[in-house]
Amino acid sequence: MSIHGILGEQTTDYPTQYSPETLYPIARSIGRDVIGWQQHKLQVGMDWWHAFEMSWLNLQGISQVAMARFSIPATSAYIVESKSLKLYLNSLNFTEFANWQQVQTLLAKDLSACVQAQVSVELIALDDMQSGLLIIEPEGTSIDDALAECADKVALTLHPDASLLKAGSDNSVNKQPPVQHSVSFYSNLLRSNCPVTNQPDWGTLAVTMTSANTVAHADMLRYVLSFRQHNGFHEQCVEQIFADLSQYFQPSELMVRAWYTRRGGIDINPCRVSDLSLLPKPSRLIRQ
């Protein structure tokens, strides 16, 4: 009797020796070409990756464990395919290092070479209660119940539908200067599919925006739900949302970020902003 069930007979070979060649780069231009909107504006931000299965050997051959944060600038030419990152990290499990700094330096070198940009690496001890991996709550108002009173059923769409965003304007008939509003909201219902494996990716989306155009929570939730069958990398989904909100609401300030749930011991947290001064601190949520 097979023990593989619906997964079939496929297995993955995990390297037991240091293997930087397993890191597989994917050009950011692939996702940005699909979006087709001012690529330079999609390069302002950061992708924070958290790895919870970091391990290597000290010079006594004793396993060491830690958590890690990789900060990848949105200006990098490439992202790293997440399964290849898991294989790479596992290849360090039986490699000896004299200290944590050696591990951190090697990780930064290999990841920077893969994405063709300077990647910052932090190793975090499991008992470091003051670390940036403490759990926070998203800011703003949840929009997840915005359709609770609507009678119509939300349709499944194959691709994100920006037409669901119905931007309103506060411009009055006497041509007074538009009134800018600052809003913050979030949804735990962001879902998309990995373009490599077709596995579902779940995340929490947060938006902070200053605009003269009003944001209807019901319309925004319909838009978020339109991603449910979309095949897109985490970074591309956040950039698509950033581009659509930029075009529909013409904000003077905009931040779009997502905290995706963990797969393979790794979670990915992209953030795009209209100006680097708006970049928040990296963080994680309770579902991660």
Side-chain angles (χ1 to χ4, degrees), residues 256-275:
V256 177
R257 71 185 303 187
W259 297 265
Y260 279 91
T261 57
R262 204 180 308 174
R263 266 207 289 125
I266 298 169
D267 64 51
I268 306 173
N269 309 272
C271 181
R272 299 294 179 268
V273 289
S274 55
D275 187 271

Side-chain angles (χ1 to χ4, degrees), residues 16-246:
T16 56
Q17 293 183 326
Y18 168 59
S19 304
E21 68 277 4
T22 60
L23 290 171
Y24 186 83
I26 298 173
R28 287 192 188 271
S29 60
I30 295 175
R32 290 171 178 171
D33 288 346
V34 172
I35 295 172
W37 177 80
Q38 302 184 48
Q39 290 203 22
H40 67 284
K41 292 187 177 180
L42 301 177
Q43 298 176 16
V44 186
M46 192 73 69
D47 301 329
W48 294 294
W49 295 53
H50 296 140
F52 294 87
E53 297 177 3
M54 282 295 309
S55 181
W56 63 93
L57 301 181
N58 66 12
L59 296 184
Q60 290 180 278
I62 299 173
S63 295
Q64 308 293 293
V65 295
M67 301 173 291
R69 172 182 289 134
F70 311 128
S71 299
I72 304 175
T75 52
S76 67
Y78 297 89
I79 60 174
V80 57
E81 196 277 320
S82 59
K83 179 67 175 291
S84 77
L85 177 60
K86 175 174 180 168
L87 294 174
Y88 164 73
L89 295 178
N90 272 272
S91 81
L92 300 176
N93 289 173
F94 305 110
T95 304
E96 294 185 357
F97 294 90
N99 51 56
W100 284 40
Q101 184 59 51
Q102 282 190 358
V103 181
Q104 189 167 296
T105 299
L106 182 68
L107 290 168
K109 177 180 74 70
D110 291 341
L111 290 173
S112 297
C114 178
V115 305
Q116 294 190 12
Q118 186 60 49
V119 176
S120 172
V121 175
E122 302 171 68
L123 290 181
I124 302 165
L126 273 59
D127 59 356
D128 183 359
M129 301 305 293
Q130 303 303 316
S131 78
L133 287 181
L134 293 176
I135 295 172
I136 69 160
E137 295 181 0
E139 296 181 358
T141 303
S142 171
I143 64 171
D144 290 348
D145 293 327
L147 294 170
E149 303 301 322
C150 295
D152 57 320
K153 189 174 182 177
V154 177
L156 286 173
T157 59
L158 290 177
H159 302 289
D161 184 0
S163 70
L164 295 169
L165 298 169
K166 302 169 184 176
S169 177
D170 289 335
N171 295 343
S172 59
V173 293
N174 59 2
K175 303 299 182 182
Q176 292 295 320
V179 179
Q180 296 278 316
H181 300 283
S182 292
V183 295
S184 293
F185 54 87
Y186 68 92
S187 173
N188 294 310
L189 305 183
L190 179 62
R191 182 197 188 275
S192 55
N193 296 318
C194 172
V196 176
T197 65
N198 206 40
Q199 289 181 305
D201 294 317
W202 282 95
T204 294
L205 173 74
V207 174
T208 297
M209 179 165 62
T210 300
S211 174
N213 296 306
T214 57
V215 184
H217 287 178
D219 294 339
M220 187 67 202
L221 180 56
R222 291 182 188 274
Y223 170 68
V224 171
L225 294 175
S226 75
F227 279 80
R228 287 182 289 183
Q229 297 191 96
H230 174 63
N231 279 42
F233 293 108
H234 304 71
E235 299 88 346
Q236 185 266 332
C237 290
V238 168
E239 291 184 352
Q240 180 73 66
I241 295 168
F242 186 91
D244 289 341
L245 294 182
S246 295

